[in-house]
Amino acid sequence: MTSTTLVLRGVGVSPGRRAGVVARMPDPLPAPSTEPLPPGTDLAAAADRIGAAASVVHDALLAAASTARGEGAAVLAVTAEMAADPTLVDEARRRVVEQASTPQRAVWDAAAVVVDQLLALGGLFAERARDVDDVRDRVVATLTGAPMPGVPDPGEPFVLVARDLAPADTARLDPDLVLALVTEGGGPTSHTAILARALGIPAVVAVAGAGTLRDGDTVLVDGALGSVTPDPDEDAVARAGRTVRRAARLGAPGATADGMPVALLANVADPAGAAAAAAAGAEGVGLLRTEFRFLGRTVAPGVDEQVDAYRQVLAAFPGRKVVVRTLDAGADKPLPFVTAPDEPNPALGVRGLRTAWDHPQVLDDQLAAIARAAAVEDADVWVMAPMVATAEEARDFVERCAAHGLAQAGVMVEVPSAALRARDLLVHARFASIGTNDLTQYAMAADRELARLARLSTSWQPAVLDLVAATCAGGALRGRPVGVCGEAAADPALAPVLVGLGVSSLSMTPRALPDVAAVLATVTADRCRELADAALAADGAEAARDTVRAMLPVLEDLGL
């Protein structure tokens, strides 16, 4: 019998089908009482409790970051630094001393001020408002002895349903316990989505009606189609349970069915992530995020320290390509030694390569460290700059790399200008790597964290695919390879479309490698081009995805 229950629709951000019992994130902590401290209270001592509680939260998050990997570790480290930010603590202390607020109420009200400021700034500043609320709740829980906010533990595998999920909570999800993730908020390239894909957890975000799901309900989550089916029938549950299990390790180099090679690489954020990627059989590293040595610091790390860190990554891939991205500071990764704290719109501000305009020594030190590490390891080291917008910037970066003996210098394509004029950038750059997350955000003018814009914030948008095609055309004209290292590369349905547009390498979270390889192995190069043409001809993202999926019945067979 087929269930007549209304299917809830959202945006699928991590593929896979799972059925399970719902466990909802606990309700947020209630607002503390506005009752002031009693007369005679030592206000200075009460205010001091706030700093102590913030330190406890900071240390706990840093400890969690030390045991996490990749993007999750970076997210936890950033959240920890927010707990240590004096802005929140100082404002809360002032409220205790001047207004006799209880420490917990003072933290609550101070956080509201910070959140309002971030929301007013908009863009990537607004994305951090959720993190402030998360830190607020953790500090208040520490002050009051309440249970620390976090993911429920019902004692068995479950489908996690939440209004929204703080990045720090997502980073610590256990994929052996969390069968799938459903949220009312978020978007396809939000931190929640990125971390869910990295963990291999099927996920659907921006689900209207997710609030109607209750603890104990059984649901079927399809992370590819973006659907959540309450009370699914037995046949649907059985089909979800029959999902084809592929090996966790990539067994052979990536290629289409007719033998056209497609390099399948890994996105890596630290040495532990490099080891995991090598164990997963990645053919190399298509994106080494170097921020792991810079986050949470007030000054840049020295050259010797960087050399040691890069060598640990390069050592995991002897004889294989490792593409190192230079520091991508700014926007959601502010660093006090290269970024300004008062930019009105950091997403359009001084970020990525632009930070070298005022702080060239930071980039020169990093290139020197990369060159030294490359000289003593056997990896094939390439280096690329983020946020390159003009041919002049590409030329200057390539020349700077050459001065350090780094011959394979390329550019990230993350802004439409770089895609549209790729033929000019690639006169100088030896390769291009498309960062589809930012390219989508800038092309569609859509905040990736805003649930109401989630359907715009997807690389299935034909306009975004046009920009990918333009980049590949520029690469073909100059004889330069073009890869994709954004989240789009991990989508098994979108991967053959990207290959059909002219992409020669795909870099992704290691967990996605077997799925992408399995799909590519079933389609010829000509079929990839047909899929790309069909996607480009569609009049919207949903139509493009549905058309391509209908042309790829293997996705259903593989449970993708």
Side-chain angles (χ1 to χ4, degrees):
M1 179 179 295
T2 301
S3 171
T4 58
T5 303
L6 180 65
V7 176
L8 306 179
R9 299 289 178 182
V11 179
V13 297
S14 183
R17 287 195 298 266
R18 299 289 187 276
V21 174
V22 167
R24 292 192 63 89
M25 280 289 289
D27 290 334
L29 287 175
S33 170
T34 58
E35 190 72 20
L37 290 167
T41 300
D42 185 339
L43 298 181
D48 288 343
R49 292 182 58 214
I50 295 171
S55 293
V56 168
V57 171
H58 170 264
D59 293 347
L61 288 168
L62 274 188
S66 69
T67 60
R69 288 180 176 176
E71 187 76 18
V75 164
L76 288 164
V78 169
T79 308
E81 291 312 307
M82 184 170 289
D85 190 326
T87 304
L88 176 62
V89 172
D90 289 350
E91 174 62 17
R93 286 176 54 87
R94 184 190 68 78
R95 289 171 179 270
V96 172
V97 173
E98 296 181 6
Q99 302 173 14
S101 293
T102 63
Q104 57 268 30
R105 184 69 207 191
V107 169
W108 192 272
D109 291 338
V113 171
V114 175
V115 166
D116 286 346
Q117 292 171 343
L118 292 173
L119 292 176
L121 290 171
L124 291 171
F125 272 130
E127 292 181 21
R128 306 200 72 186
R130 181 67 184 88
D131 293 340
V132 174
D133 284 342
D134 181 40
V135 169
R136 174 203 68 192
D137 289 349
R138 293 173 188 274
V139 174
V140 169
T142 302
L143 287 166
T144 61
M148 189 64 65
V151 177
D153 182 10
E156 61 182 355
F158 61 97
V159 173
L160 179 61
V161 177
R163 181 178 305 165
D164 200 356
L165 207 57
D169 285 326
T170 313
R172 290 188 283 186
L173 294 182
D174 183 348
D176 291 330
L177 291 176
V178 180
L179 299 171
L181 175 62
V182 177
T183 67
E184 293 181 68
T189 57
S190 64
H191 283 303
T192 296
I194 292 170
L195 291 167
R197 281 190 287 269
L199 293 167
I201 298 174
V204 185
V205 302
V207 179
T212 64
L213 300 175
R214 295 289 176 258
D215 286 337
D217 290 349
T218 298
V219 295
L220 172 64
V221 179
D222 190 317
L225 297 181
S227 64
V228 181
T229 306
D231 192 25
D233 60 50
E234 293 181 2
D235 288 343
V237 173
R239 287 196 300 273
R242 290 197 297 269
T243 296
V244 175
R245 298 290 180 183
R246 283 165 296 289
R249 190 178 192 279
L250 188 64
T256 59
D258 54 342
M260 185 179 76
V262 180
L264 298 182
L265 313 171
N267 294 340
V268 167
D270 54 27
E283 296 179 53
V285 173
L287 169 62
L288 170 58
R289 302 179 176 98
T290 55
E291 292 75 45
F292 71 96
R293 274 297 169 213
F294 292 81
L295 291 173
R297 308 177 71 134
T298 57
V299 296
V303 173
D304 289 343
E305 180 183 343
Q306 291 186 59
V307 170
D308 179 65
Y310 302 149
R311 286 192 63 184
Q312 293 179 58
V313 175
L314 301 182
F317 290 93
R320 286 177 281 174
K321 180 167 73 173
V322 175
V323 183
V324 183
R325 183 182 70 186
T326 56
L327 182 62
D328 190 19
D332 60 340
K333 296 183 287 289
L335 294 173
F337 48 88
V338 289
T339 59
D342 56 353
E343 285 187 340
N345 189 343
L348 300 178
V350 180
R351 57 171 297 199
L353 182 62
R354 299 170 184 178
T355 60
W357 296 347
D358 295 325
H359 305 279
Q361 193 61 47
V362 174
L363 176 59
D364 281 328
D365 285 351
Q366 187 172 26
L367 293 176
I370 294 169
R372 281 177 50 187
V376 292
E377 298 293 342
D378 293 329
D380 179 17
V381 178
W382 297 22
V383 62
M384 62 184 180
M387 289 299 292
V388 174
T390 68
E392 180 184 15
E393 290 173 344
R395 183 197 65 213
D396 290 347
F397 178 72
V398 170
E399 290 177 352
R400 188 171 297 208
C401 289
H404 289 278
L406 295 166
Q408 292 292 341
V411 294
M412 292 281 292
V413 174
E414 300 163 285
V415 295
S417 66
L420 293 171
R421 304 294 295 192
R423 63 186 184 277
D424 297 330
L425 274 67
L426 289 170
V427 168
H428 311 286
R430 299 296 298 271
F431 67 96
S433 185
I434 302 172
T436 50
N437 299 357
D438 273 324
L439 185 62
T440 300
Q441 175 175 244
Y442 293 130
M444 303 308 297
D447 186 334
R448 69 187 193 181
E449 294 286 344
L450 192 57
R452 291 181 62 192
L453 300 180
R455 286 165 178 78
L456 291 176
S457 302
T458 168
S459 298
W460 280 104
Q461 290 287 351
V464 177
L465 297 178
D466 278 335
L467 293 172
V468 174
T471 305
C472 292
L477 181 65
R478 304 302 180 193
R480 309 295 201 195
V482 174
V484 168
C485 64
E487 293 300 312
D491 184 337
L494 189 51
V497 172
L498 298 173
V499 171
L501 293 172
V503 167
S504 60
S505 65
L506 298 167
S507 189
M508 65 202 75
T509 174
R511 284 181 178 268
L513 290 167
D515 289 341
V516 171
V519 174
L520 287 177
T522 68
V523 290
T524 63
D526 284 342
R527 186 59 168 171
C528 289
R529 286 185 278 271
E530 291 171 0
L531 293 168
D533 289 341
L536 289 173
D539 62 0
E542 187 173 352
R545 185 201 66 187
D546 291 349
T547 298
V548 169
R549 290 188 66 86
M551 296 170 69
L552 285 172
V554 66
L555 295 170
E556 180 70 21
D557 298 337
L558 295 174
L560 297 173

